[in-house]
Amino acid sequence: LSKAEALTMEESLDPDDWHAMRALGHRMVDDMMTYLETIRDRPVWKPIPDDVKASLEAPLPLGPQNPEQIYHEFLENVLPNPMGNIHPRFWGWVIGTGTPLGMLAEMLAAGMNPNVGGGDHVASYVEAQVLNWCKEMLGYPAEASGLLVSGGSMANLVGLTVARNTMAGFDVRQHGLLSSPARMMLYGSCETHSSVQKAIELLGLGSGAFRQLPVNSDYQIELSALEAAITEDRDSGHQPGCVVGNAGTTNTGAIDDLNLLADICEREGLWLHVDGAFGALAALSPELRPLLAGMERADSLAFDMHKWMYMPYEIGCALVRREKDHHRAFSLTPDYLAHAERGLAGGRHWFHEYGPQASRGFRALKAWMSIKEHGIEKYGRLIQQNVDQARYLADLVDASPDLERLAPVTLNIVCFRFKADHLDDTALNALNEELLIQLYERGIAVPSYTKLGDKYVLRVCITNHRSRSEDFELLVREVISTGKGLLGKYPGSA
Ligand SMILES: Cc1ncc(COP(=O)(O)O)c(C=O)c1O
């Protein structure tokens, strides 16, 4: 082939038949709308059949397959085997549900497919708009800086990176921690999410630098223990640097006294980072907002929109009180990323200078569209609805002689277990673990689990806009009947 002939055979990834692709797209939208509309009719979860698992061990496709055929395979093997988190009776871990418009927004964002690392194009302005709305809805200062990220873990990493670099007292980016005159110490309660420890490890501080302090009976950090730890560390020549406050712990939804933490940080000259992955959003409900008093004083704040704002995965947000601190921690502008005065390389929003990623997706679009679709007041009502549902479930649990609640309900989390007076904790732990697996396998509901002290508990965390009170009534009925059915199987039973 001559060069000219070869060029006439240039390929692209666009379809040969746009008409067929368009028709397939319409079918996909129709199918997914029906799927979402009828989600309540299906089991929450079911085991993945072996043949489906086997089909996902196929060799690398070398040649093309027809999109229709690929979609057929999706309908056969992928769609029927979901996690279940979009179902009204999914309350496991802290997992959101998504929305139909959120799904469509993801399609539009992928269609436009901008890189929101920098440059003067509209996606950056959409992100800046969403960040401004986030500050406003949480009562955080308007001049603060922010970044949309993949989720709470990344938001914690971003906040704690800024904390480390700002508090170090020397240029960590240039010199690294080896030049540190004293070990930087961080403080939080023993209920702090594991992503905080991971962030501290990734930052090279070592998990030993994170003092995880005891909690009171409401699972809030013990302030006297915090103050004692700070003094002790100072006396031993360490450098106290940062307190991590919890606005909604994963286990029980506890909220630390954020105003008192802010007071301590001010007095001691420490950075206050608040992990509000889901709990920060309780500020959208006028009734719940007072619980978060002091959150607006944080130096950095992490939260998620794929949890309690019900947006499709992934979207979280890091806010940093002083833009300069944020920029200084991440900005790096080699020649190939320099800003211009005008044109595409101009503009004010170069988000890659505020986080670890150079290339960034258009996750802002689903937030922008969703917040406009519902208005922030409806989010507040839904969050309140989830909290009211948690209180309702707690009442049902408290009213049953077969159930025992093991933690206060501050927000949207209820921890309880099936109990029988003649069984000790070891037997109850085993029974409740089996009970939960049976709820999963029968597709009834998905709570998750945790341990409080040595007690295994069922943990219902409601970040679900589709749940109704009858779903919690069904859960309670099923837990009791399944528990009673298991009584004969465990040692210690009568
Ligand atoms: C309190 C808290 N912080 C951080 C995270 C981590 O967030 P993500 O899973 O979005 O990374 C979670 C997740 O459940 C959480 O509950």
Side-chain angles (χ1 to χ4, degrees), residues 27 32 41 50 115 144 210 214 232 235 243 273 283 297 354 370 385 405 423:
R27 253 183 71 207
M32 284 312 291
D41 305 337
D50 287 341
N115 183 334
F210 186 36
E232 190 182 299
D235 290 349
V243 173
H273 173 80
R297 294 170 65 192
Y354 293 85
S370 302
Q385 177 172 300
R405 185 158 60 87
L423 293 186

Side-chain angles (χ1 to χ4, degrees), residues 94 150-154 156 193 195 246 248-250 275 277-278 304 306-307:
V94 192
S150 54
S153 304
M154 191 54 84
N156 280 329
H193 190 263
S195 60
N246 282 303
T249 58
T250 315
D275 177 4
F278 61 99
D304 264 319
H306 56 213
K307 293 186 166 77

Side-chain angles (χ1 to χ4, degrees), residues 396-407:
L396 295 176
V397 167
D398 293 348
S400 166
D402 299 310
L403 303 176
E404 179 183 14
R405 185 158 60 87
L406 287 123

Side-chain angles (χ1 to χ4, degrees), residues 425-444:
D425 277 346
T426 310
L428 283 176
N429 287 355
L431 184 151
N432 279 279
E433 206 172 331
E434 173 61 23
L435 188 163
L436 184 62
I437 290 172
Q438 291 198 9
L439 289 185
Y440 292 166
E441 287 178 340
R442 287 159 52 215
I444 291 169

Side-chain angles (χ1 to χ4, degrees), residues 371-428:
I371 293 172
K372 284 168 84 69
E373 180 192 12
H374 301 296
I376 212 65
E377 288 173 354
K378 181 153 189 191
Y379 285 101
R381 290 199 300 278
L382 283 167
I383 285 165
Q384 184 66 52
Q385 177 172 300
N386 286 162
V387 171
D388 291 342
Q389 288 165 337
R391 291 172 185 162
Y392 179 59
L393 173 60
D395 288 344
L396 295 176
V397 167
D398 293 348
S400 166
D402 299 310
L403 303 176
E404 179 183 14
R405 185 158 60 87
L406 287 123
V409 176
T410 313
L411 286 176
N412 55 340
I413 299 178
V414 186
C415 292
F416 69 103
R417 64 179 179 174
F418 178 81
K419 72 161 187 193
D421 289 338
H422 59 284
L423 293 186
D424 62 13
D425 277 346
T426 310
L428 283 176

